[in-house]
Amino acid sequence: MSKPHAFDHSPYIIRPEPIVRLKDLATTPPSDFTSKGEAKKALAEDVSALSEAQRILWADGRFSVLIIFQAMDAAGKDGTIRHVMSGVNPQGCEVYSFGPPSAEELKHHFLWRPTRYLPARGRIGIFNRSYYEEVLVVRVHPELLKPQNLPPGREGDELWTKRFEDINAFEQTLHRAGTCVIKFFLHVSKDEQRRRFLERLDDPNKHWKFSAADLRERQHWKEYRGAYEAMLAATSTHWAPWHIIPADDKWYMRAMVADIVAARIGELDLRYPELDDAARAELAAAKERLLAEDGG
Ligand code: ATP
Ligand code: MG
């Protein structure tokens, strides 16, 4: 099922335990990428490859795929999900968006919530934000820990290290169970975020997309960058590596994400189930019966 891929993914895969410095990583496409047309063509090819891959994933029934998107506001998560999954059968796919936790969710471990929305075998699950918010927004705003009612002695810097360990163990469990975990950080620059916020403010059709909270969070850009760097360095594992995708050019980003998803699913050992002799005989008998109806 594997096919040649349009792009080189290697610059964007984060190897385990590096030091991640987001300032040194591109938010724009490489200089040899010039054409939106090229990206759109690659995206269209990957979308159809994904559609075929999903059919086999479903028929095979042994694996599932979990795609995680994390990003600063206005990086383009929604548009990327919409475009990349545009060819996928909605019956085999669920998107779950992570907002602030409910009262019930606060009473549980932070990995309880995602567990409930994991894709079953044969299905694709997409997390629009995820349990990673628990080491991002919660780290930037530690007052969010208060309603979590953690037992004493669980606060301080240790908490984040322990959460990274818990996340890595959780994802390893998923990997062992046959879930292919594909993680994307859509890396948008602060300037491009400003430009997109202004566009939302200038275009009445985009007003609904703007919230005052977005501007508040923008004031914490540096703290978010620090939290993202620590998280990306600690949770890029062999079984679930992060991909840091330049997000200032939306078409390049969408095409790159689709290409990586198609490649990762292509690496799974997917096949249509083979029928045993008894099942084959049953099919032959069914065909015979249906053909016999013709005459009557
Ligand atoms: P959009 O582009 O539509 O704004 P979004 O992902 O920003 O998409 P929102 O509903 O605006 O969606 O934001 C969800 C908010 O929920 C984010 O600010 C995020 O940080 C917050 N959130 C997610 N998980 C948690 C969590 N575990 N604890 C606290 N806040 C969380
Ligand atoms: Mg938002």
Side-chain angles (χ1 to χ4, degrees):
M1 230 199 58
S2 59
K3 71 171 200 60
H5 291 284
F7 298 110
D8 177 13
H9 309 152
S10 57
Y12 306 127
I13 303 174
I14 305 306
R15 305 288 162 202
E17 290 189 66
I19 305 271
V20 176
R21 276 182 53 88
L22 287 173
K23 263 197 157 159
D24 298 342
L25 297 176
T27 59
T28 50
S31 53
D32 60 352
F33 172 83
T34 46
S35 137
K36 179 171 159 180
E38 183 195 337
K40 280 188 159 179
K41 184 168 166 279
L43 178 62
E45 281 169 16
D46 284 320
V47 164
S48 79
L50 268 175
S51 163
E52 168 68 6
Q54 185 200 21
R55 269 200 296 276
I56 308 183
L57 184 74
W58 176 254
D60 180 291
R62 296 174 303 161
F63 297 94
S64 59
V65 176
L66 175 64
I67 309 173
I68 295 178
F69 289 97
Q70 284 292 156
M72 294 297 284
D73 286 304
K77 286 181 277 103
D78 289 355
T80 303
I81 293 169
R82 202 169 55 243
H83 279 88
V84 173
M85 305 314 287
S86 59
V88 156
N89 178 353
Q91 286 197 80
C93 172
E94 280 105 0
V95 183
Y96 182 74
S97 298
F98 283 70
S102 68
E104 189 189 18
E105 285 160 351
L106 282 168
K107 289 187 188 154
H108 289 271
H109 187 267
F110 75 99
L111 293 171
W112 182 77
R113 168 154 67 153
T115 304
R116 300 158 77 206
Y117 300 105
L118 290 173
R121 291 198 176 92
R123 303 176 72 86
I124 300 176
I126 297 173
F127 285 177
N128 181 357
R129 301 187 188 267
S130 66
Y131 45 90
Y132 279 99
E133 291 293 327
E134 289 288 336
V135 292
L136 297 166
V137 67
V138 180
R139 190 168 188 174
V140 172
H141 299 285
E143 66 275 14
L144 291 172
L145 281 173
K146 208 158 187 297
Q148 298 196 5
N149 273 334
L150 302 180
R154 306 302 205 270
E155 311 84 9
D157 276 354
E158 275 270 284
L159 175 75
W160 314 115
T161 316
K162 297 284 181 223
R163 285 194 169 180
F164 294 150
E165 287 171 14
D166 289 344
I167 287 172
N168 288 343
F170 176 64
E171 291 176 354
Q172 187 167 38
T173 304
L174 298 182
H175 171 76
R176 284 178 178 156
T179 301
C180 173
V181 184
I182 315 177
K183 304 187 292 197
F184 294 102
F185 171 60
L186 307 181
H187 186 22
V188 75
S189 66
K190 199 174 177 192
D191 279 351
E192 180 61 20
Q193 189 196 56
R194 177 173 171 272
R195 211 189 55 70
R196 291 184 190 171
F197 281 170
L198 284 172
E199 200 177 285
R200 290 177 182 185
L201 291 169
D202 286 341
D203 179 351
N205 289 338
K206 290 189 175 173
H207 282 172
W208 65 274
K209 279 192 179 184
F210 188 82
S211 98
D214 291 350
L215 207 55
R216 268 202 310 277
E217 294 313 292
R218 180 175 164 82
Q219 313 304 317
H220 296 285
W221 188 273
K222 268 197 179 155
E223 291 106 297
Y224 271 108
R225 192 171 61 205
Y228 265 108
E229 287 176 344
M231 174 284 266
L232 291 162
T235 60
S236 211
T237 53
H238 292 294
W239 52 90
W242 276 101
H243 302 82
I244 302 183
I245 310 293
D248 285 0
D249 181 308
K250 287 184 180 176
W251 285 106
Y252 181 78
M253 167 177 67
R254 291 165 185 167
M256 185 59 70
V257 166
D259 213 47
I260 291 170
V261 172
R264 289 293 311 280
I265 299 182
E267 285 159 17
L268 298 174
D269 174 29
L270 296 177
R271 45 191 132 104
Y272 286 107
E274 284 203 5
L275 300 184
D276 60 21
D277 288 347
R280 248 196 298 264
E282 214 171 287
L283 290 192
K287 187 172 172 184
E288 221 166 280
R289 282 244 296 276
L290 286 169
L291 288 174
E293 277 182 18
D294 269 358

